[in-house]
Amino acid sequence: MELPFAESYRIKMIEPIRRSTRAEREQWIKEAKYNLFNLKSEYVFVDLLTDSGTGAMSDRQWSEMMLGDESYAGASSFFKFKDAIREIMGFEYVLPTHQGRAAENVLFSVLIKEGDLVPGNSHFDTTKGHIEYRKAKAVDCTIDEAFDTTLVHPFKGNVDLGKLEKVLKENGNKVSFIVLTITCNSSGGQPVSIENMKGVRKLADEYGKKIVMDSARFAENAYFIKMREEGYGSKSIREIVLEMFSYADAVTMSAKKDAIVNIGGFIAMRDKELYNSASVFEIMYEGYLTYGGLAGRDLSAIAQGLHEATEFDYLETRVKQVEYLGNKLLGFGIPIQQPIGGHAIFVDAKRFLPQVKKEECIAQTLAIHLYIEAGIRGVEIGSILADRDPVTRENRYPELELMRLAIPRRVYTNNHMDLIAVALKNIWDKRNTIRTGFRIVREAPIMRHFTVELEKV
Ligand code: F0G
């Protein structure tokens, strides 16, 4: 018999979680105004709100925490951090930041001016936010295949080189740089291929532009390249990572994902001039150059985490757990984004609940039902998140209404995955009884999803 797959780690420390009753959950979600962000975490049994900062650190990372050097300037922790980034990602200059969006804030303060264009592949919300805040525009050049959840394509994070070239040709003088998000969160944790990175690099060189990689889940991207791209099967993850970043001029990183820490981020770059310019904003917004909003112990844990996250065994365990859940759901006939991505399952709520009107928050309705069914907290990526048009103030209804189930790293077992799958199947089996959704009764002028209040229709 072929041996079944098993995790490449064992558990040394546990954190109890509490089961609740359906009646309790109905009460709690009502009190939370049907907004899952308003729930106390103790009311949640399996928390899939995000894979960001929710991972379990290893014994070695906790050891590094104890070795943290808390000197204000020149701490040994900073040099461990800098060396890890140089060795693994190949960049000479580094600035630590408190998280990913802070890296965007510092770097974009140098690179973006009013009226600029920043083409890329489905920019993440905070990336887009930091572009738009500077009165510039994020231009989405993702391949069209990414928006059809049923279509299987190995690299749905890819940039459509035709779309990118059009932007460069028509408005090249306005383009500040190109963003490549690896893996692409907004399109479902989908990877970008090396071939595509080479194509983007070629265009960038032709038009004299920089490439910034938004690298939150870069190791998962490298894993998919190894598994799916011709010519990369026998390369190590580290070799692939170095090749990926050889096509970038700079990276912004949320270490809360693929450095498996609870807080942290950084900017890494090749160019000393860029580093010098960014250093000014670093000191203003984040802190001195060798700590940037983090404790020394955080820098040490990131350095160790980067080594662990780029080991094949870790990545295989990680991605296979997400696949395990996805395949269970597919087996039940539940519509999800395919192929299964690196960090999360994206359930296609429009195909799950076609009878619910678009004005009634389709993906949020599904997420509320899943919480009531089993205490599982997912997140809406649909019309609530899409918000209103800033000019017309009309509600925007995106092409896709998704419920994201993000899997924290090294936290849950496959028994939890089984529970999630069956809970969702129970809703799938009674989906025809869900005729109506929820309406918004209170919302903030921007980023409304965090604080929105809803009622039953
Ligand atoms: N880039 C990507 C692709 C992300 O997914 C995130 C965060 C960021 C940048 C910003 O990083 O949170 O450290 O400031 N994504 C989280 C999520 C919040 O749930 O997907 P941050």
Side-chain angles (χ1 to χ4, degrees):
M1 231 169 123
E2 196 187 334
L3 292 172
F5 185 76
E7 289 78 2
S8 61
Y9 50 79
R10 55 185 175 178
I11 297 164
K12 184 147 35 185
M13 187 189 287
I14 60 95
E15 177 186 1
I17 47 176
R18 184 178 173 272
R19 254 179 267 274
S20 52
T21 64
R22 177 179 287 266
E24 283 175 321
R25 293 191 293 273
E26 278 171 350
Q27 181 63 26
W28 291 334
I29 190 70
K30 190 168 171 221
E31 284 166 7
K33 311 275 195 239
Y34 298 101
N35 179 345
L36 293 135
F37 285 99
N38 283 340
L39 286 171
K40 286 186 179 168
S41 66
E42 66 203 68
Y43 296 166
V44 176
F45 188 58
V46 180
D47 205 344
L48 310 181
L49 189 64
T50 181
D51 64 320
S52 180
T54 53
M57 291 210 295
S58 68
D59 51 357
R60 282 157 186 79
Q61 282 179 293
W62 281 106
S63 309
E64 285 298 331
M65 295 286 275
M66 296 305 292
L67 296 171
D69 174 354
E70 304 304 341
S71 306
Y72 189 94
S76 59
S77 297
F78 172 75
F79 292 101
K80 264 186 201 168
F81 166 85
K82 184 175 156 64
D83 288 348
I85 294 165
R86 190 200 293 118
E87 182 188 334
I88 294 169
M89 303 168 99
F91 294 97
E92 198 56 41
Y93 299 99
V94 214
L95 289 170
T97 61
H98 79 273
Q99 60 185 83
R101 68 200 69 184
E104 291 165 351
N105 187 32
V106 170
L107 186 65
F108 295 3
S109 294
V110 179
L111 296 179
I112 301 180
K113 58 180 192 314
E114 190 172 334
D116 279 357
L117 300 177
V118 185
N121 55 340
S122 303
H123 314 59
F124 182 67
D125 318 358
T126 60
T127 318
K128 202 171 175 181
H130 275 293
I131 294 168
E132 290 177 352
Y133 177 73
R134 292 172 172 80
K135 299 197 165 53
K137 196 165 174 254
V139 188
D140 188 7
C141 297
T142 315
I143 55 169
D144 292 333
E145 288 90 332
F147 303 101
D148 179 348
T149 58
T150 60
L151 206 100
V152 176
H153 180 294
F155 292 101
K156 275 187 169 177
N158 279 357
V159 167
D160 182 324
L161 297 176
K163 288 186 197 171
L164 176 62
E165 185 157 25
K166 191 162 179 283
V167 178
L168 290 165
K169 208 177 251 167
E170 290 173 3
N171 285 300
N173 57 331
K174 287 194 190 157
V175 172
S176 13
F177 59 92
I178 301 161
V179 177
L180 263 184
T181 311
I182 54 172
T183 58
C184 191
N185 187 359
S186 311
S187 73
Q190 301 290 327
V192 178
S193 69
I194 290 276
E195 191 195 8
N196 195 248
M197 291 178 189
K198 282 184 184 165
V200 175
R201 183 72 261 174
K202 191 160 169 280
L203 283 174
D205 288 342
E206 262 172 55
Y207 289 86
K209 302 297 173 193
K210 284 189 165 52
I211 297 178
V212 176
M213 291 195 185
D214 174 359
S215 309
R217 301 179 182 85
F218 75 95
E220 290 165 13
N221 201 95
Y223 175 84
F224 285 122
I225 288 171
K226 182 174 170 70
M227 304 313 281
R228 296 180 185 170
E229 190 158 357
E230 221 188 298
Y232 287 86
S234 60
K235 298 215 174 184
S236 71
I237 295 292
R238 294 275 168 81
E239 285 172 316
I240 297 171
V241 167
L242 277 174
E243 179 170 353
M244 280 174 8
F245 289 126
S246 74
Y247 306 116
D249 297 284
V251 305
T252 53
M253 174 74 186
S254 169
K256 299 169 77 172
K257 284 86 167 175
D258 273 354
I260 331 181
V261 291
N262 304 117
I263 196 72
F266 56 86
I267 308 165
M269 63 228 113
R270 258 176 244 301
D271 179 10
K272 183 146 199 258
E273 299 246 316
L274 181 58
Y275 169 81
N276 286 342
S277 312
S279 295
V280 177
F281 294 99
E282 168 82 359
I283 291 173
M284 283 207 299
Y285 293 136
E286 291 296 293
Y288 183 63
L289 308 176
T290 60
Y291 76 85
L294 294 171
R297 63 182 83 99
D298 296 325
L299 297 169
S300 299
I302 292 172
Q304 177 61 26
L306 287 171
H307 282 104
E308 292 176 18
T310 47
E311 277 169 15
F312 179 78
D313 286 356
Y314 154 74
L315 282 166
E316 187 183 35
T317 299
R318 157 77 175 151
V319 177
K320 282 205 164 158
Q321 182 169 54
V322 179
E323 266 172 17
Y324 175 85
L325 172 60
N327 285 330
K328 287 248 148 168
L329 296 175
L330 286 172
F332 293 141
I334 295 170
I336 62 171
Q337 165 74 302
Q338 291 190 68
I340 297 159
H343 69 293
I345 299 295
F346 290 70
V347 183
D348 187 333
K350 266 194 201 165
R351 284 168 54 224
F352 199 115
L353 297 173
Q355 67 282 13
V356 175
K357 292 197 198 100
K358 72 174 196 306
E359 294 79 12
E360 295 177 9
C361 309
I362 307 169
Q364 181 71 9
T365 300
L366 183 56
I368 292 166
H369 279 274
L370 181 61
Y371 173 70
I372 292 172
E373 180 69 25
I376 296 160
R377 172 157 71 171
V379 75
E380 188 248 25
I381 302 197
S383 54
I384 300 180
L385 182 73
D387 225 315
R388 291 173 185 273
D389 184 288
V391 180
T392 65
R393 300 304 298 157
E394 290 296 315
N395 277 308
R396 291 189 280 211
Y397 294 102
E399 191 64 29
L400 292 175
E401 279 274 347
L402 301 169
M403 174 180 67
R404 185 181 78 170
L405 304 174
I407 312 299
R409 293 166 183 75
R410 308 192 287 210
V411 170
Y412 294 111
T413 68
N414 282 2
N415 287 331
H416 293 106
M417 300 303 121
D418 288 338
L419 171 79
I420 300 159
V422 171
L424 209 51
K425 182 191 186 301
N426 289 347
I427 304 170
W428 179 243
D429 289 345
K430 60 182 180 205
R431 63 191 182 280
N432 292 329
T433 65
I434 303 169
R435 310 298 311 174
T436 54
F438 292 81
R439 75 167 74 87
I440 295 177
V441 291
R442 206 189 71 81
E443 62 183 275
I446 45 165
M447 302 287 250
R448 66 180 182 184
H449 56 290
F450 289 116
T451 52
V452 72
E453 295 181 2
L454 304 160
E455 69 181 12
K456 271 189 187 152
V457 171

Short mmCIF file of all heavy atoms in Angstrom, two decimals, residues 49-52 98-102 104 123-127 181-186 214-217 252-257 263-265 343 379 404 406, ligand 1:
data_model
loop_
_atom_site.label_atom_id
_atom_site.label_comp_id
_atom_site.label_asym_id
_atom_site.label_seq_id
_atom_site.Cartn_x
_atom_site.Cartn_y
_atom_site.Cartn_z
N LEU A 49 -10.45 33.49 9.28
CA LEU A 49 -10.57 34.88 8.85
C LEU A 49 -9.36 35.28 8.01
O LEU A 49 -9.48 35.97 7.01
CB LEU A 49 -10.68 35.78 10.08
CG LEU A 49 -11.03 37.24 9.88
CD1 LEU A 49 -12.42 37.40 9.30
CD2 LEU A 49 -10.95 38.00 11.20
N THR A 50 -8.19 34.85 8.44
CA THR A 50 -6.97 35.18 7.69
C THR A 50 -5.84 34.20 8.01
O THR A 50 -5.85 33.55 9.07
CB THR A 50 -6.50 36.62 8.01
OG1 THR A 50 -5.32 36.90 7.24
CG2 THR A 50 -6.22 36.83 9.48
N ASP A 51 -4.88 34.14 7.10
CA ASP A 51 -3.66 33.37 7.35
C ASP A 51 -2.54 34.33 7.71
O ASP A 51 -1.37 33.98 7.66
CB ASP A 51 -3.28 32.57 6.08
CG ASP A 51 -2.92 33.50 4.92
OD1 ASP A 51 -3.60 34.54 4.75
OD2 ASP A 51 -1.96 33.21 4.19
N SER A 52 -2.89 35.57 8.06
CA SER A 52 -1.90 36.61 8.29
C SER A 52 -1.65 36.80 9.79
O SER A 52 -2.55 37.23 10.52
CB SER A 52 -2.41 37.91 7.68
OG SER A 52 -1.48 38.94 7.89
N HIS A 98 6.69 47.38 10.38
CA HIS A 98 5.87 46.61 11.34
C HIS A 98 4.94 45.62 10.66
O HIS A 98 4.54 44.64 11.25
CB HIS A 98 5.13 47.54 12.32
CG HIS A 98 3.92 48.19 11.75
ND1 HIS A 98 3.96 49.38 11.06
CD2 HIS A 98 2.62 47.83 11.77
CE1 HIS A 98 2.74 49.71 10.68
NE2 HIS A 98 1.91 48.77 11.10
N GLN A 99 4.58 45.85 9.41
CA GLN A 99 3.86 44.82 8.63
C GLN A 99 3.91 45.18 7.15
O GLN A 99 4.61 46.13 6.77
CB GLN A 99 2.45 44.58 9.15
CG GLN A 99 1.50 45.75 9.16
CD GLN A 99 0.17 45.36 9.81
OE1 GLN A 99 0.05 45.38 11.03
NE2 GLN A 99 -0.83 45.00 9.02
N GLY A 100 3.17 44.44 6.32
CA GLY A 100 3.29 44.61 4.87
C GLY A 100 2.87 45.99 4.38
O GLY A 100 3.53 46.61 3.55
N ARG A 101 1.73 46.48 4.91
CA ARG A 101 1.22 47.76 4.41
C ARG A 101 2.14 48.91 4.79
O ARG A 101 2.18 49.94 4.13
CB ARG A 101 -0.23 47.98 4.88
CG ARG A 101 -0.39 48.20 6.34
CD ARG A 101 -1.82 47.93 6.78
NE ARG A 101 -2.16 46.49 6.69
CZ ARG A 101 -3.36 46.00 6.94
NH1 ARG A 101 -4.35 46.79 7.26
NH2 ARG A 101 -3.59 44.70 6.86
N ALA A 102 2.90 48.74 5.85
CA ALA A 102 3.86 49.76 6.26
C ALA A 102 5.02 49.79 5.27
O ALA A 102 5.55 50.86 4.95
CB ALA A 102 4.36 49.47 7.67
N GLU A 104 4.66 49.09 2.15
CA GLU A 104 4.07 49.79 0.99
C GLU A 104 4.11 51.30 1.23
O GLU A 104 4.49 52.08 0.36
CB GLU A 104 2.62 49.33 0.79
CG GLU A 104 2.52 47.89 0.30
CD GLU A 104 1.12 47.29 0.42
OE1 GLU A 104 0.22 47.91 1.03
OE2 GLU A 104 0.93 46.16 -0.09
N HIS A 123 -3.92 43.84 -7.62
CA HIS A 123 -3.29 44.44 -6.43
C HIS A 123 -4.10 44.11 -5.18
O HIS A 123 -5.33 44.22 -5.18
CB HIS A 123 -3.23 45.96 -6.55
CG HIS A 123 -2.73 46.48 -7.87
ND1 HIS A 123 -3.34 46.20 -9.06
CD2 HIS A 123 -1.68 47.26 -8.16
CE1 HIS A 123 -2.68 46.78 -10.05
NE2 HIS A 123 -1.66 47.44 -9.53
N PHE A 124 -3.41 43.77 -4.10
CA PHE A 124 -4.10 43.56 -2.83
C PHE A 124 -4.68 44.90 -2.34
O PHE A 124 -4.17 45.96 -2.68
CB PHE A 124 -3.13 42.96 -1.80
CG PHE A 124 -3.81 42.67 -0.49
CD1 PHE A 124 -4.78 41.67 -0.40
CD2 PHE A 124 -3.53 43.41 0.65
CE1 PHE A 124 -5.44 41.43 0.79
CE2 PHE A 124 -4.18 43.18 1.84
CZ PHE A 124 -5.14 42.19 1.92
N ASP A 125 -5.74 44.82 -1.50
CA ASP A 125 -6.46 46.03 -1.04
C ASP A 125 -5.54 47.12 -0.48
O ASP A 125 -5.73 48.30 -0.77
CB ASP A 125 -7.43 45.75 0.11
CG ASP A 125 -8.22 44.49 -0.05
OD1 ASP A 125 -8.05 43.81 -1.09
OD2 ASP A 125 -8.99 44.17 0.85
N THR A 126 -4.57 46.72 0.37
CA THR A 126 -3.74 47.75 1.00
C THR A 126 -2.79 48.35 -0.03
O THR A 126 -2.45 49.53 0.03
CB THR A 126 -2.91 47.17 2.17
OG1 THR A 126 -2.07 46.14 1.69
CG2 THR A 126 -3.80 46.62 3.28
N THR A 127 -2.36 47.53 -1.00
CA THR A 127 -1.48 48.02 -2.07
C THR A 127 -2.24 49.06 -2.87
O THR A 127 -1.76 50.17 -3.11
CB THR A 127 -1.06 46.84 -2.99
OG1 THR A 127 -0.76 45.71 -2.18
CG2 THR A 127 0.12 47.20 -3.84
N THR A 181 2.24 40.57 -7.60
CA THR A 181 1.84 40.00 -6.32
C THR A 181 1.99 38.48 -6.40
O THR A 181 1.36 37.83 -7.22
CB THR A 181 0.38 40.38 -6.01
OG1 THR A 181 0.24 41.77 -6.20
CG2 THR A 181 0.01 40.02 -4.59
N ILE A 182 2.90 37.95 -5.55
CA ILE A 182 3.19 36.51 -5.61
C ILE A 182 2.97 35.90 -4.22
O ILE A 182 3.60 36.34 -3.28
CB ILE A 182 4.63 36.27 -6.10
CG1 ILE A 182 5.66 37.04 -5.24
CG2 ILE A 182 4.79 36.68 -7.54
CD1 ILE A 182 7.10 36.71 -5.53
N THR A 183 2.09 34.92 -4.09
CA THR A 183 1.01 34.58 -4.99
C THR A 183 -0.04 35.68 -4.97
O THR A 183 -0.04 36.52 -4.08
CB THR A 183 0.30 33.27 -4.54
OG1 THR A 183 -0.19 33.47 -3.19
CG2 THR A 183 1.21 32.08 -4.52
N CYS A 184 -0.93 35.63 -5.94
CA CYS A 184 -1.92 36.67 -6.06
C CYS A 184 -3.11 36.35 -5.16
O CYS A 184 -3.89 35.44 -5.44
CB CYS A 184 -2.34 36.75 -7.53
SG CYS A 184 -3.31 38.19 -7.84
N ASN A 185 -3.21 37.08 -4.05
CA ASN A 185 -4.24 36.85 -3.04
C ASN A 185 -5.63 37.08 -3.63
O ASN A 185 -6.52 36.23 -3.53
CB ASN A 185 -3.99 37.80 -1.86
CG ASN A 185 -4.89 37.56 -0.67
OD1 ASN A 185 -5.75 36.68 -0.68
ND2 ASN A 185 -4.71 38.34 0.37
N SER A 186 -5.81 38.23 -4.28
CA SER A 186 -7.14 38.64 -4.72
C SER A 186 -7.72 37.70 -5.78
O SER A 186 -8.93 37.58 -5.90
CB SER A 186 -7.10 40.06 -5.26
OG SER A 186 -6.44 40.90 -4.34
N ASP A 214 5.20 42.14 -4.52
CA ASP A 214 4.47 42.06 -3.25
C ASP A 214 4.55 40.59 -2.86
O ASP A 214 3.87 39.74 -3.42
CB ASP A 214 3.03 42.54 -3.48
CG ASP A 214 2.16 42.36 -2.24
OD1 ASP A 214 2.67 41.86 -1.22
OD2 ASP A 214 0.97 42.71 -2.31
N SER A 215 5.44 40.30 -1.90
CA SER A 215 5.93 38.93 -1.72
C SER A 215 5.38 38.17 -0.53
O SER A 215 5.96 37.17 -0.12
CB SER A 215 7.45 38.98 -1.59
OG SER A 215 7.98 39.72 -2.64
N ALA A 216 4.25 38.61 0.02
CA ALA A 216 3.69 38.01 1.23
C ALA A 216 3.73 36.47 1.19
O ALA A 216 4.09 35.83 2.17
CB ALA A 216 2.27 38.50 1.44
N ARG A 217 3.38 35.89 0.03
CA ARG A 217 3.30 34.42 -0.05
C ARG A 217 4.26 33.89 -1.12
O ARG A 217 3.93 33.01 -1.91
CB ARG A 217 1.85 33.99 -0.30
CG ARG A 217 0.91 34.48 0.82
CD ARG A 217 -0.54 34.12 0.61
NE ARG A 217 -1.39 34.64 1.67
CZ ARG A 217 -1.90 35.89 1.70
NH1 ARG A 217 -1.67 36.73 0.70
NH2 ARG A 217 -2.66 36.27 2.72
N THR A 252 8.13 44.29 -1.37
CA THR A 252 7.48 44.63 -0.10
C THR A 252 7.01 43.30 0.46
O THR A 252 6.58 42.42 -0.28
CB THR A 252 6.26 45.56 -0.30
OG1 THR A 252 5.37 44.98 -1.26
CG2 THR A 252 6.70 46.93 -0.77
N MET A 253 7.15 43.14 1.77
CA MET A 253 6.86 41.83 2.36
C MET A 253 6.03 41.99 3.63
O MET A 253 6.35 42.79 4.50
CB MET A 253 8.20 41.16 2.71
CG MET A 253 8.07 39.84 3.46
SD MET A 253 7.52 38.50 2.38
CE MET A 253 7.30 37.17 3.58
N SER A 254 4.95 41.20 3.70
CA SER A 254 4.23 41.01 4.95
C SER A 254 4.76 39.71 5.54
O SER A 254 4.41 38.63 5.08
CB SER A 254 2.73 40.92 4.71
OG SER A 254 2.10 40.49 5.90
N ALA A 255 5.63 39.81 6.55
CA ALA A 255 6.24 38.61 7.14
C ALA A 255 5.22 37.78 7.91
O ALA A 255 5.51 36.65 8.31
CB ALA A 255 7.39 39.04 8.06
N LYS A 256 4.00 38.34 8.09
CA LYS A 256 2.94 37.63 8.81
C LYS A 256 2.43 36.41 8.03
O LYS A 256 1.69 35.61 8.56
CB LYS A 256 1.78 38.61 9.06
CG LYS A 256 2.19 39.80 9.91
CD LYS A 256 1.14 40.89 9.93
CE LYS A 256 0.00 40.51 10.86
NZ LYS A 256 -0.96 41.64 11.03
N LYS A 257 2.81 36.33 6.78
CA LYS A 257 2.42 35.16 5.97
C LYS A 257 3.62 34.21 5.87
O LYS A 257 3.84 33.40 6.75
CB LYS A 257 1.93 35.59 4.59
CG LYS A 257 0.53 36.20 4.58
CD LYS A 257 0.56 37.66 4.88
CE LYS A 257 -0.74 38.36 4.59
NZ LYS A 257 -0.68 39.76 5.02
N ILE A 263 3.82 39.16 13.71
CA ILE A 263 3.87 40.55 13.25
C ILE A 263 5.20 40.79 12.55
O ILE A 263 6.21 40.19 12.91
CB ILE A 263 3.66 41.54 14.43
CG1 ILE A 263 3.32 42.94 13.94
CG2 ILE A 263 4.86 41.58 15.37
CD1 ILE A 263 1.94 43.10 13.37
N GLY A 264 5.18 41.69 11.56
CA GLY A 264 6.44 42.06 10.91
C GLY A 264 6.33 42.19 9.39
O GLY A 264 5.39 41.68 8.78
N GLY A 265 7.31 42.90 8.84
CA GLY A 265 7.37 43.05 7.39
C GLY A 265 8.70 43.68 7.02
O GLY A 265 9.52 43.94 7.90
N HIS A 343 -3.04 29.45 -0.03
CA HIS A 343 -3.29 29.77 1.37
C HIS A 343 -4.75 29.70 1.78
O HIS A 343 -5.06 29.86 2.96
CB HIS A 343 -2.76 31.17 1.69
CG HIS A 343 -3.53 32.28 1.02
ND1 HIS A 343 -3.55 32.47 -0.34
CD2 HIS A 343 -4.33 33.26 1.54
CE1 HIS A 343 -4.32 33.52 -0.63
NE2 HIS A 343 -4.80 34.02 0.49
N VAL A 379 -14.27 34.79 5.60
CA VAL A 379 -14.40 36.22 5.33
C VAL A 379 -15.00 36.47 3.96
O VAL A 379 -14.74 35.73 3.01
CB VAL A 379 -13.02 36.93 5.51
CG1 VAL A 379 -12.09 36.65 4.35
CG2 VAL A 379 -13.20 38.42 5.70
N ARG A 404 -13.84 33.56 1.50
CA ARG A 404 -12.49 33.02 1.64
C ARG A 404 -12.34 32.27 2.96
O ARG A 404 -12.72 32.78 4.01
CB ARG A 404 -11.46 34.15 1.59
CG ARG A 404 -10.02 33.62 1.62
CD ARG A 404 -8.99 34.73 1.60
NE ARG A 404 -8.83 35.33 2.91
CZ ARG A 404 -7.86 36.19 3.25
NH1 ARG A 404 -6.98 36.56 2.33
NH2 ARG A 404 -7.79 36.70 4.44
N ALA A 406 -9.30 31.12 4.80
CA ALA A 406 -7.83 31.18 4.83
C ALA A 406 -7.32 30.22 5.91
O ALA A 406 -7.81 30.23 7.03
CB ALA A 406 -7.36 32.60 5.11
N1 F0G B 1 -0.01 42.04 0.19
C1 F0G B 1 -0.77 40.94 0.18
C2 F0G B 1 -0.79 40.07 -1.03
C3 F0G B 1 -1.56 40.62 1.30
O1 F0G B 1 -2.33 39.53 1.27
C4 F0G B 1 -1.51 41.47 2.45
C5 F0G B 1 -2.31 41.17 3.63
C6 F0G B 1 -0.69 42.60 2.41
C7 F0G B 1 0.04 42.86 1.26
C8 F0G B 1 -0.60 43.56 3.57
O2 F0G B 1 0.12 43.02 4.59
O3 F0G B 1 -1.50 42.80 6.50
O4 F0G B 1 0.97 42.71 6.86
O5 F0G B 1 -0.13 44.84 6.28
N2 F0G B 1 -3.22 40.32 3.66
C9 F0G B 1 -4.01 39.89 4.82
C10 F0G B 1 -5.06 38.91 4.38
C11 F0G B 1 -4.54 40.98 5.66
O6 F0G B 1 -5.91 38.55 5.21
O7 F0G B 1 -5.04 38.47 3.23
P1 F0G B 1 -0.16 43.36 6.14
#
